[in-house]
Structures are given as structure tokens and as C-alpha cells.
Amino acid sequence: MSAPGIEGRLFGAAMLMLPGEFRAEYGEEIRVLARDTVREARAQGASSARSARARIVLDLMLAAMREHARKESVMHVNLSGLGAGIATAIGLPMIVASYSSYGFWGLVRQTGAVVGFDSSDVFVHPTIVLVGALLTAIGLLALVHRLSAASAAMASTLRTGAVAASAMLGLGGLAMFSYAMPTVSGWRGAFDLVGGILVGAGFLGILAVLIASGVIAMRSHALGALSFTPLAVAGSLVLLVGVALLGFATGMQMEVFLRGPAMVIAVWLVPATSVLLGAGLALTPSPSGVRSRRSEPRPA
């Protein structure tokens, strides 16, 4: 097909958008069909030829989206990843909610009343953080394992980062057991400060792992149609931190701020995106070879 200038580049870009195996199987037929279509249109004038090329590019772009969606929508339950998916859906949201959600603590109090413990007990919050850190570590390690085939060089670094970040969160929770000490104890303030630093560093580490994993997942489609979810979780954490910093900057009372709509939305986005990431770990894209042979897209 002779398509000079920008039209030729658009045609080449549209061809590259098609899945590799589809392009290898049908690429030559598509080129021949496009060449014949433009040749017929050129006989009717330059304007008709340009319109034909534009339709071809549009048809190829739509065909590429259909093929990728068809390929990635075929997912099946991955039993080995099911537990990690559940851990991912629960771990990080549990920690975030324990710091910022009145609704979460209302649920804890109601549950505690049934089983006979008081949520104001100094051991409750650190225990929640420790459990959340453990579940988060399981989820992040499972995510890195899924990405290892696509980026073996980064897998070791991401694995180390996931363990270190989760450990810092856990140690931060452990430091909060210092609340059981008398208020006058100098050690209590020191442990509290160290715990806050560790939790903050842990969150930053988790954010870095999620961003790096998200970029790899998007490039490799390692999580199929849900490959965007690591970046979605990272985005929800960034939004949460941004809203929190804005609240602190305005000097709003903590109780009013935490109950405000902006904070409530930001907090709920973390579990929503974490559930999607958990689903990405619990589901696996079917191998591309299972896709049945279909007729090639027919650009008009």
C-alpha cells in the first residue's frame, strides 16, 4: 500500500497495535486488502483515497481494541493465587482504614462487643497493623512472582522492596505497643516517633513497589485485563496522602476532617482498587493459543 506521509505512519502504528500473533497470521492479508482498497479509491480522486486511508486506520484501531479485549477477557481462576488475592484485597485497606476511617472503627467496636473486647484497648490497633502488614507482604510477593517471567531482572529488587516495606509497616505497628507504657515514660515518646517514621517509610516503599509493578504489568499484560490495577492502587494511595496533607494544611479539626466527604472517598478508593488487584492475582489470562481462529478484520 502506498500511503505517503502521516497516513503511512498512522497505518504502521495501527498495525503495531494489533496483538503480535494476530499480526503475524493476518498482517500480509491486511496489507494487500488495504492496498487494493486505496487503489480503487484513488481512481475516484485524491479525496476518496484519503478517506479510504482514514477508514483503514480507524478500522485497524478498532480491530486492535477488539482483539486485545477478546484475548484478555478470557480469564480463569488461579487457585494458587486465590489466597494471595484475598490477602491483597484485605491487607492494605485494613491498615489504611485503621488510621483514617471512623466507619472501620465502628465495625471493630460492634464486632468487639459481640466477642467481648474493647476496641479502645491499646493492643487492638497495633495488632491490626501487624496483621495488615503480613497480608500486604503476601499480596505484594505474589504480584512480583506473577511479574517475574516478564521482568526477571526487576523481580529480585521488587521482592526485596516488598519485604522491606511490609516489614517497616509491621515494625511500626509493633512500636505502637508502647501505648501500654505509662504516659510519663520517656520510652513511650521515642517508640511512638520511631513507629510513625517506620509506618511512613513503609507506605512509601509499598507505593514504589506498586508503581514499578504496575508499569511492568501494563507492558507485559501479566494480569490480563486487570494489568492496570497495581497503578490504580498506587493512585488511590497518592490521592489519600494528598487529601490528608490538604486537611493538615488547612488546620481543620481531625475529627471533622476524617468524617469529611473528600477523606471518605479517598479511603474507600483504597479497598476498591485493592479488591481489583486481588482479583487480578486470583485470575489468570488464558494462554493466547486458546483463542480460536477468527477471520481477519476487513477494513472498508
Side-chain angles (χ1 to χ4, degrees):
M1 169 181 154
S2 174
I6 190 171
E7 294 165 349
R9 290 194 292 272
L10 286 174
F11 175 79
M15 284 291 292
L16 289 175
M17 290 176 63
L18 291 165
E21 67 276 10
F22 187 91
R23 191 168 61 249
E25 189 170 357
Y26 300 115
E28 186 58 32
E29 297 175 45
I30 293 173
R31 289 185 178 88
V32 171
L33 179 59
R35 181 196 62 200
D36 293 344
T37 300
V38 173
R39 181 180 296 165
E40 293 174 5
R42 191 180 291 120
Q44 302 175 18
S47 178
S48 296
R50 285 194 295 270
S51 297
R53 292 185 185 117
R55 288 199 305 272
I56 290 169
V57 170
L58 179 60
D59 286 347
L60 284 172
M61 292 174 65
L62 293 175
M65 288 188 286
R66 284 196 303 268
E67 286 301 312
H68 280 295
R70 183 179 294 125
K71 176 183 176 182
E72 294 180 352
S73 63
V74 182
M75 310 278 281
H76 63 269
V77 175
N78 174 14
L79 292 179
S80 62
L82 186 59
I86 294 173
T88 303
I90 296 174
L92 193 57
M94 179 187 296
I95 299 172
V96 169
S98 73
Y99 278 101
S100 54
S101 174
Y102 272 87
F104 174 82
W105 284 108
L107 177 63
V108 171
R109 291 186 185 96
Q110 293 171 12
T111 305
V114 173
V115 299
F117 72 83
D118 183 359
S119 63
S120 63
D121 189 286
V122 294
F123 296 106
V124 174
H125 185 242
T127 301
I128 289 174
V129 175
L130 281 171
V131 173
L134 176 61
L135 294 176
T136 300
I138 293 172
L140 289 177
L141 289 173
L143 173 61
V144 173
H145 179 70
R146 284 284 291 274
L147 301 176
S148 59
S151 182
M154 281 291 293
S156 178
T157 301
L158 289 176
R159 194 175 293 111
T160 301
V163 171
S166 301
M168 283 189 284
L169 275 181
L171 290 173
L174 192 64
M176 285 185 289
F177 281 115
S178 63
Y179 289 135
M181 295 180 178
T183 308
V184 295
S185 172
W187 286 104
R188 175 174 173 175
F191 278 118
D192 192 29
L193 176 62
V194 170
I197 293 173
L198 286 171
V199 168
F203 269 115
L204 289 177
I206 287 172
L207 185 61
V209 171
L210 286 170
I211 292 173
S213 298
V215 171
I216 296 171
M218 289 292 289
R219 288 178 176 176
S220 63
H221 299 282
L223 301 180
L226 295 172
S227 295
F228 68 93
T229 51
L231 289 177
V233 177
S236 69
L237 289 176
V238 170
L239 176 64
L240 179 65
V241 172
V243 170
L245 291 176
L246 182 62
F248 292 141
T250 57
M252 189 180 301
Q253 289 185 352
M254 181 64 67
E255 184 174 349
V256 175
F257 167 65
L258 291 179
R259 292 181 185 272
M263 193 64 178
V264 171
I265 292 172
V267 168
W268 274 100
L269 278 175
V270 176
T273 54
S274 296
V275 167
L276 287 175
L277 177 55
L281 295 176
L283 299 174
T284 303
S286 294
S288 58
V290 304
R291 182 176 60 83
S292 59
R293 181 185 176 95
R294 293 178 173 87
S295 59
E296 68 272 14
R298 306 185 67 84

PDB file of all heavy atoms in Angstrom, residues 1-2 31-53 55-56 298-300:
ATOM      1  N   MET A   1       0.852  -1.188   0.000  1.00  0.00           N
ATOM      2  CA  MET A   1       0.000   0.000   0.000  1.00  0.00           C
ATOM      3  C   MET A   1       0.878   1.225   0.000  1.00  0.00           C
ATOM      4  O   MET A   1       1.788   1.363   0.808  1.00  0.00           O
ATOM      5  CB  MET A   1      -0.882  -0.012   1.262  1.00  0.00           C
ATOM      6  CG  MET A   1      -1.635   1.293   1.517  1.00  0.00           C
ATOM      7  SD  MET A   1      -2.604   1.144   3.031  1.00  0.00           S
ATOM      8  CE  MET A   1      -2.692   2.869   3.474  1.00  0.00           C
ATOM      9  N   SER A   2       0.601   2.141  -0.891  1.00  0.00           N
ATOM     10  CA  SER A   2       1.371   3.374  -0.945  1.00  0.00           C
ATOM     11  C   SER A   2       0.607   4.447  -0.208  1.00  0.00           C
ATOM     12  O   SER A   2      -0.379   4.962  -0.694  1.00  0.00           O
ATOM     13  CB  SER A   2       1.583   3.774  -2.405  1.00  0.00           C
ATOM     14  OG  SER A   2       2.208   5.027  -2.468  1.00  0.00           O
ATOM     15  N   ARG A  31      -2.502  -5.984   4.675  1.00  0.00           N
ATOM     16  CA  ARG A  31      -1.776  -5.040   3.823  1.00  0.00           C
ATOM     17  C   ARG A  31      -2.266  -5.110   2.372  1.00  0.00           C
ATOM     18  O   ARG A  31      -2.446  -4.073   1.711  1.00  0.00           O
ATOM     19  CB  ARG A  31      -0.279  -5.320   3.891  1.00  0.00           C
ATOM     20  CG  ARG A  31       0.366  -4.939   5.208  1.00  0.00           C
ATOM     21  CD  ARG A  31       1.884  -5.140   5.159  1.00  0.00           C
ATOM     22  NE  ARG A  31       2.499  -4.731   6.403  1.00  0.00           N
ATOM     23  CZ  ARG A  31       2.658  -5.511   7.466  1.00  0.00           C
ATOM     24  NH1 ARG A  31       2.240  -6.795   7.411  1.00  0.00           N
ATOM     25  NH2 ARG A  31       3.222  -5.065   8.565  1.00  0.00           N
ATOM     26  N   VAL A  32      -2.488  -6.327   1.878  1.00  0.00           N
ATOM     27  CA  VAL A  32      -2.953  -6.494   0.497  1.00  0.00           C
ATOM     28  C   VAL A  32      -4.345  -5.893   0.333  1.00  0.00           C
ATOM     29  O   VAL A  32      -4.629  -5.169  -0.637  1.00  0.00           O
ATOM     30  CB  VAL A  32      -2.958  -7.983   0.112  1.00  0.00           C
ATOM     31  CG1 VAL A  32      -3.655  -8.189  -1.240  1.00  0.00           C
ATOM     32  CG2 VAL A  32      -1.532  -8.523   0.045  1.00  0.00           C
ATOM     33  N   LEU A  33      -5.229  -6.178   1.310  1.00  0.00           N
ATOM     34  CA  LEU A  33      -6.586  -5.652   1.233  1.00  0.00           C
ATOM     35  C   LEU A  33      -6.583  -4.125   1.296  1.00  0.00           C
ATOM     36  O   LEU A  33      -7.304  -3.449   0.549  1.00  0.00           O
ATOM     37  CB  LEU A  33      -7.419  -6.223   2.389  1.00  0.00           C
ATOM     38  CG  LEU A  33      -8.882  -5.755   2.476  1.00  0.00           C
ATOM     39  CD1 LEU A  33      -9.631  -6.108   1.203  1.00  0.00           C
ATOM     40  CD2 LEU A  33      -9.564  -6.370   3.697  1.00  0.00           C
ATOM     41  N   ALA A  34      -5.743  -3.566   2.192  1.00  0.00           N
ATOM     42  CA  ALA A  34      -5.658  -2.112   2.304  1.00  0.00           C
ATOM     43  C   ALA A  34      -5.118  -1.500   1.013  1.00  0.00           C
ATOM     44  O   ALA A  34      -5.618  -0.462   0.541  1.00  0.00           O
ATOM     45  CB  ALA A  34      -4.762  -1.747   3.489  1.00  0.00           C
ATOM     46  N   ARG A  35      -4.111  -2.129   0.409  1.00  0.00           N
ATOM     47  CA  ARG A  35      -3.532  -1.614  -0.831  1.00  0.00           C
ATOM     48  C   ARG A  35      -4.576  -1.597  -1.943  1.00  0.00           C
ATOM     49  O   ARG A  35      -4.726  -0.608  -2.668  1.00  0.00           O
ATOM     50  CB  ARG A  35      -2.350  -2.483  -1.243  1.00  0.00           C
ATOM     51  CG  ARG A  35      -1.638  -2.026  -2.514  1.00  0.00           C
ATOM     52  CD  ARG A  35      -0.755  -3.136  -3.040  1.00  0.00           C
ATOM     53  NE  ARG A  35      -1.559  -4.312  -3.390  1.00  0.00           N
ATOM     54  CZ  ARG A  35      -1.054  -5.558  -3.505  1.00  0.00           C
ATOM     55  NH1 ARG A  35       0.220  -5.785  -3.276  1.00  0.00           N
ATOM     56  NH2 ARG A  35      -1.853  -6.554  -3.832  1.00  0.00           N
ATOM     57  N   ASP A  36      -5.345  -2.685  -2.084  1.00  0.00           N
ATOM     58  CA  ASP A  36      -6.360  -2.756  -3.130  1.00  0.00           C
ATOM     59  C   ASP A  36      -7.476  -1.746  -2.883  1.00  0.00           C
ATOM     60  O   ASP A  36      -7.999  -1.143  -3.837  1.00  0.00           O
ATOM     61  CB  ASP A  36      -6.937  -4.162  -3.196  1.00  0.00           C
ATOM     62  CG  ASP A  36      -5.919  -5.193  -3.658  1.00  0.00           C
ATOM     63  OD1 ASP A  36      -4.864  -4.774  -4.214  1.00  0.00           O
ATOM     64  OD2 ASP A  36      -6.152  -6.401  -3.458  1.00  0.00           O
ATOM     65  N   THR A  37      -7.836  -1.560  -1.602  1.00  0.00           N
ATOM     66  CA  THR A  37      -8.909  -0.611  -1.276  1.00  0.00           C
ATOM     67  C   THR A  37      -8.498   0.810  -1.660  1.00  0.00           C
ATOM     68  O   THR A  37      -9.274   1.573  -2.241  1.00  0.00           O
ATOM     69  CB  THR A  37      -9.237  -0.673   0.220  1.00  0.00           C
ATOM     70  OG1 THR A  37      -9.668  -1.997   0.553  1.00  0.00           O
ATOM     71  CG2 THR A  37     -10.331   0.323   0.588  1.00  0.00           C
ATOM     72  N   VAL A  38      -7.264   1.192  -1.313  1.00  0.00           N
ATOM     73  CA  VAL A  38      -6.783   2.542  -1.632  1.00  0.00           C
ATOM     74  C   VAL A  38      -6.636   2.710  -3.147  1.00  0.00           C
ATOM     75  O   VAL A  38      -6.938   3.775  -3.701  1.00  0.00           O
ATOM     76  CB  VAL A  38      -5.449   2.819  -0.917  1.00  0.00           C
ATOM     77  CG1 VAL A  38      -4.849   4.140  -1.382  1.00  0.00           C
ATOM     78  CG2 VAL A  38      -5.663   2.850   0.588  1.00  0.00           C
ATOM     79  N   ARG A  39      -6.196   1.665  -3.830  1.00  0.00           N
ATOM     80  CA  ARG A  39      -6.023   1.750  -5.289  1.00  0.00           C
ATOM     81  C   ARG A  39      -7.363   2.020  -5.960  1.00  0.00           C
ATOM     82  O   ARG A  39      -7.458   2.859  -6.856  1.00  0.00           O
ATOM     83  CB  ARG A  39      -5.418   0.450  -5.796  1.00  0.00           C
ATOM     84  CG  ARG A  39      -5.165   0.437  -7.310  1.00  0.00           C
ATOM     85  CD  ARG A  39      -4.570  -0.899  -7.722  1.00  0.00           C
ATOM     86  NE  ARG A  39      -3.253  -1.100  -7.109  1.00  0.00           N
ATOM     87  CZ  ARG A  39      -2.631  -2.270  -7.054  1.00  0.00           C
ATOM     88  NH1 ARG A  39      -3.229  -3.362  -7.528  1.00  0.00           N
ATOM     89  NH2 ARG A  39      -1.433  -2.367  -6.513  1.00  0.00           N
ATOM     90  N   GLU A  40      -8.413   1.324  -5.519  1.00  0.00           N
ATOM     91  CA  GLU A  40      -9.735   1.550  -6.101  1.00  0.00           C
ATOM     92  C   GLU A  40     -10.235   2.960  -5.793  1.00  0.00           C
ATOM     93  O   GLU A  40     -10.849   3.623  -6.634  1.00  0.00           O
ATOM     94  CB  GLU A  40     -10.728   0.518  -5.558  1.00  0.00           C
ATOM     95  CG  GLU A  40     -10.432  -0.898  -6.011  1.00  0.00           C
ATOM     96  CD  GLU A  40     -11.338  -1.913  -5.329  1.00  0.00           C
ATOM     97  OE1 GLU A  40     -12.249  -1.471  -4.584  1.00  0.00           O
ATOM     98  OE2 GLU A  40     -11.148  -3.123  -5.521  1.00  0.00           O
ATOM     99  N   ALA A  41      -9.985   3.417  -4.550  1.00  0.00           N
ATOM    100  CA  ALA A  41     -10.443   4.751  -4.164  1.00  0.00           C
ATOM    101  C   ALA A  41      -9.691   5.834  -4.913  1.00  0.00           C
ATOM    102  O   ALA A  41     -10.253   6.891  -5.238  1.00  0.00           O
ATOM    103  CB  ALA A  41     -10.280   4.937  -2.662  1.00  0.00           C
ATOM    104  N   ARG A  42      -8.398   5.593  -5.221  1.00  0.00           N
ATOM    105  CA  ARG A  42      -7.595   6.599  -5.897  1.00  0.00           C
ATOM    106  C   ARG A  42      -8.127   6.882  -7.294  1.00  0.00           C
ATOM    107  O   ARG A  42      -7.980   8.003  -7.825  1.00  0.00           O
ATOM    108  CB  ARG A  42      -6.140   6.126  -5.956  1.00  0.00           C
ATOM    109  CG  ARG A  42      -5.177   7.239  -6.404  1.00  0.00           C
ATOM    110  CD  ARG A  42      -3.730   6.762  -6.458  1.00  0.00           C
ATOM    111  NE  ARG A  42      -3.201   6.493  -5.131  1.00  0.00           N
ATOM    112  CZ  ARG A  42      -2.743   5.316  -4.728  1.00  0.00           C
ATOM    113  NH1 ARG A  42      -2.767   4.276  -5.555  1.00  0.00           N
ATOM    114  NH2 ARG A  42      -2.272   5.150  -3.515  1.00  0.00           N
ATOM    115  N   ALA A  43      -8.757   5.886  -7.897  1.00  0.00           N
ATOM    116  CA  ALA A  43      -9.331   6.087  -9.225  1.00  0.00           C
ATOM    117  C   ALA A  43     -10.458   7.115  -9.203  1.00  0.00           C
ATOM    118  O   ALA A  43     -10.800   7.689 -10.239  1.00  0.00           O
ATOM    119  CB  ALA A  43      -9.843   4.750  -9.772  1.00  0.00           C
ATOM    120  N   GLN A  44     -11.031   7.358  -8.032  1.00  0.00           N
ATOM    121  CA  GLN A  44     -12.124   8.320  -7.905  1.00  0.00           C
ATOM    122  C   GLN A  44     -11.631   9.687  -7.429  1.00  0.00           C
ATOM    123  O   GLN A  44     -12.429  10.592  -7.198  1.00  0.00           O
ATOM    124  CB  GLN A  44     -13.179   7.789  -6.936  1.00  0.00           C
ATOM    125  CG  GLN A  44     -13.744   6.443  -7.353  1.00  0.00           C
ATOM    126  CD  GLN A  44     -14.702   5.870  -6.296  1.00  0.00           C
ATOM    127  OE1 GLN A  44     -15.197   6.597  -5.436  1.00  0.00           O
ATOM    128  NE2 GLN A  44     -14.949   4.575  -6.390  1.00  0.00           N
ATOM    129  N   GLY A  45     -10.325   9.817  -7.238  1.00  0.00           N
ATOM    130  CA  GLY A  45      -9.769  11.104  -6.859  1.00  0.00           C
ATOM    131  C   GLY A  45      -8.977  11.038  -5.565  1.00  0.00           C
ATOM    132  O   GLY A  45      -9.086  10.082  -4.786  1.00  0.00           O
ATOM    133  N   ALA A  46      -8.174  12.075  -5.326  1.00  0.00           N
ATOM    134  CA  ALA A  46      -7.319  12.131  -4.142  1.00  0.00           C
ATOM    135  C   ALA A  46      -8.124  12.166  -2.856  1.00  0.00           C
ATOM    136  O   ALA A  46      -7.740  11.587  -1.842  1.00  0.00           O
ATOM    137  CB  ALA A  46      -6.403  13.361  -4.219  1.00  0.00           C
ATOM    138  N   SER A  47      -9.268  12.866  -2.884  1.00  0.00           N
ATOM    139  CA  SER A  47     -10.103  12.959  -1.681  1.00  0.00           C
ATOM    140  C   SER A  47     -10.624  11.586  -1.274  1.00  0.00           C
ATOM    141  O   SER A  47     -10.636  11.233  -0.089  1.00  0.00           O
ATOM    142  CB  SER A  47     -11.268  13.922  -1.926  1.00  0.00           C
ATOM    143  OG  SER A  47     -12.111  13.985  -0.792  1.00  0.00           O
ATOM    144  N   SER A  48     -11.036  10.786  -2.239  1.00  0.00           N
ATOM    145  CA  SER A  48     -11.526   9.438  -1.950  1.00  0.00           C
ATOM    146  C   SER A  48     -10.410   8.560  -1.386  1.00  0.00           C
ATOM    147  O   SER A  48     -10.620   7.745  -0.483  1.00  0.00           O
ATOM    148  CB  SER A  48     -12.103   8.797  -3.219  1.00  0.00           C
ATOM    149  OG  SER A  48     -13.230   9.510  -3.669  1.00  0.00           O
ATOM    150  N   ALA A  49      -9.183   8.736  -1.917  1.00  0.00           N
ATOM    151  CA  ALA A  49      -8.053   7.954  -1.423  1.00  0.00           C
ATOM    152  C   ALA A  49      -7.751   8.292   0.027  1.00  0.00           C
ATOM    153  O   ALA A  49      -7.482   7.401   0.852  1.00  0.00           O
ATOM    154  CB  ALA A  49      -6.827   8.203  -2.297  1.00  0.00           C
ATOM    155  N   ARG A  50      -7.790   9.605   0.360  1.00  0.00           N
ATOM    156  CA  ARG A  50      -7.543   9.998   1.746  1.00  0.00           C
ATOM    157  C   ARG A  50      -8.619   9.434   2.678  1.00  0.00           C
ATOM    158  O   ARG A  50      -8.329   8.967   3.785  1.00  0.00           O
ATOM    159  CB  ARG A  50      -7.486  11.523   1.855  1.00  0.00           C
ATOM    160  CG  ARG A  50      -6.196  12.129   1.318  1.00  0.00           C
ATOM    161  CD  ARG A  50      -6.062  13.586   1.756  1.00  0.00           C
ATOM    162  NE  ARG A  50      -7.121  14.409   1.169  1.00  0.00           N
ATOM    163  CZ  ARG A  50      -7.025  15.026  -0.004  1.00  0.00           C
ATOM    164  NH1 ARG A  50      -5.921  14.899  -0.726  1.00  0.00           N
ATOM    165  NH2 ARG A  50      -8.010  15.781  -0.460  1.00  0.00           N
ATOM    166  N   SER A  51      -9.865   9.476   2.237  1.00  0.00           N
ATOM    167  CA  SER A  51     -10.956   8.931   3.055  1.00  0.00           C
ATOM    168  C   SER A  51     -10.795   7.432   3.267  1.00  0.00           C
ATOM    169  O   SER A  51     -11.036   6.908   4.360  1.00  0.00           O
ATOM    170  CB  SER A  51     -12.310   9.219   2.381  1.00  0.00           C
ATOM    171  OG  SER A  51     -12.551  10.605   2.291  1.00  0.00           O
ATOM    172  N   ALA A  52     -10.350   6.740   2.208  1.00  0.00           N
ATOM    173  CA  ALA A  52     -10.149   5.293   2.311  1.00  0.00           C
ATOM    174  C   ALA A  52      -9.051   4.974   3.313  1.00  0.00           C
ATOM    175  O   ALA A  52      -9.184   4.052   4.137  1.00  0.00           O
ATOM    176  CB  ALA A  52      -9.814   4.709   0.947  1.00  0.00           C
ATOM    177  N   ARG A  53      -7.944   5.735   3.262  1.00  0.00           N
ATOM    178  CA  ARG A  53      -6.854   5.507   4.203  1.00  0.00           C
ATOM    179  C   ARG A  53      -7.307   5.771   5.641  1.00  0.00           C
ATOM    180  O   ARG A  53      -6.942   5.038   6.566  1.00  0.00           O
ATOM    181  CB  ARG A  53      -5.660   6.399   3.856  1.00  0.00           C
ATOM    182  CG  ARG A  53      -4.970   6.028   2.557  1.00  0.00           C
ATOM    183  CD  ARG A  53      -3.734   6.873   2.352  1.00  0.00           C
ATOM    184  NE  ARG A  53      -3.128   6.601   1.056  1.00  0.00           N
ATOM    185  CZ  ARG A  53      -3.011   7.494   0.082  1.00  0.00           C
ATOM    186  NH1 ARG A  53      -3.476   8.729   0.264  1.00  0.00           N
ATOM    187  NH2 ARG A  53      -2.451   7.176  -1.057  1.00  0.00           N
ATOM    188  N   ARG A  55     -10.349   5.491   6.833  1.00  0.00           N
ATOM    189  CA  ARG A  55     -11.210   4.386   7.266  1.00  0.00           C
ATOM    190  C   ARG A  55     -10.399   3.147   7.614  1.00  0.00           C
ATOM    191  O   ARG A  55     -10.713   2.432   8.573  1.00  0.00           O
ATOM    192  CB  ARG A  55     -12.222   4.053   6.163  1.00  0.00           C
ATOM    193  CG  ARG A  55     -13.316   5.091   5.976  1.00  0.00           C
ATOM    194  CD  ARG A  55     -14.496   4.495   5.220  1.00  0.00           C
ATOM    195  NE  ARG A  55     -14.072   3.904   3.943  1.00  0.00           N
ATOM    196  CZ  ARG A  55     -13.985   4.572   2.802  1.00  0.00           C
ATOM    197  NH1 ARG A  55     -14.241   5.878   2.778  1.00  0.00           N
ATOM    198  NH2 ARG A  55     -13.629   3.963   1.698  1.00  0.00           N
ATOM    199  N   ILE A  56      -9.342   2.897   6.832  1.00  0.00           N
ATOM    200  CA  ILE A  56      -8.485   1.738   7.103  1.00  0.00           C
ATOM    201  C   ILE A  56      -7.824   1.869   8.473  1.00  0.00           C
ATOM    202  O   ILE A  56      -7.816   0.924   9.277  1.00  0.00           O
ATOM    203  CB  ILE A  56      -7.426   1.581   6.001  1.00  0.00           C
ATOM    204  CG1 ILE A  56      -8.086   1.145   4.696  1.00  0.00           C
ATOM    205  CG2 ILE A  56      -6.356   0.573   6.421  1.00  0.00           C
ATOM    206  CD1 ILE A  56      -7.168   1.218   3.497  1.00  0.00           C
ATOM    207  N   ARG A 298     -11.677  -6.601   8.388  1.00  0.00           N
ATOM    208  CA  ARG A 298     -11.811  -6.236   6.977  1.00  0.00           C
ATOM    209  C   ARG A 298     -12.016  -4.729   6.873  1.00  0.00           C
ATOM    210  O   ARG A 298     -13.138  -4.241   6.908  1.00  0.00           O
ATOM    211  CB  ARG A 298     -12.972  -6.978   6.327  1.00  0.00           C
ATOM    212  CG  ARG A 298     -12.880  -8.487   6.505  1.00  0.00           C
ATOM    213  CD  ARG A 298     -13.970  -9.198   5.751  1.00  0.00           C
ATOM    214  NE  ARG A 298     -13.819  -9.084   4.317  1.00  0.00           N
ATOM    215  CZ  ARG A 298     -13.037  -9.870   3.587  1.00  0.00           C
ATOM    216  NH1 ARG A 298     -12.315 -10.802   4.172  1.00  0.00           N
ATOM    217  NH2 ARG A 298     -12.968  -9.701   2.291  1.00  0.00           N
ATOM    218  N   PRO A 299     -10.916  -3.961   6.804  1.00  0.00           N
ATOM    219  CA  PRO A 299     -11.075  -2.525   6.666  1.00  0.00           C
ATOM    220  C   PRO A 299     -11.818  -2.179   5.403  1.00  0.00           C
ATOM    221  O   PRO A 299     -11.574  -2.765   4.346  1.00  0.00           O
ATOM    222  CB  PRO A 299      -9.634  -2.009   6.635  1.00  0.00           C
ATOM    223  CG  PRO A 299      -8.770  -3.182   6.363  1.00  0.00           C
ATOM    224  CD  PRO A 299      -9.507  -4.394   6.783  1.00  0.00           C
ATOM    225  N   ALA A 300     -12.735  -1.265   5.534  1.00  0.00           N
ATOM    226  CA  ALA A 300     -13.558  -0.905   4.386  1.00  0.00           C
ATOM    227  C   ALA A 300     -12.806   0.015   3.429  1.00  0.00           C
ATOM    228  O   ALA A 300     -11.969   0.781   3.859  1.00  0.00           O
ATOM    229  CB  ALA A 300     -14.829  -0.225   4.859  1.00  0.00           C
TER     230      ALA A 300
END
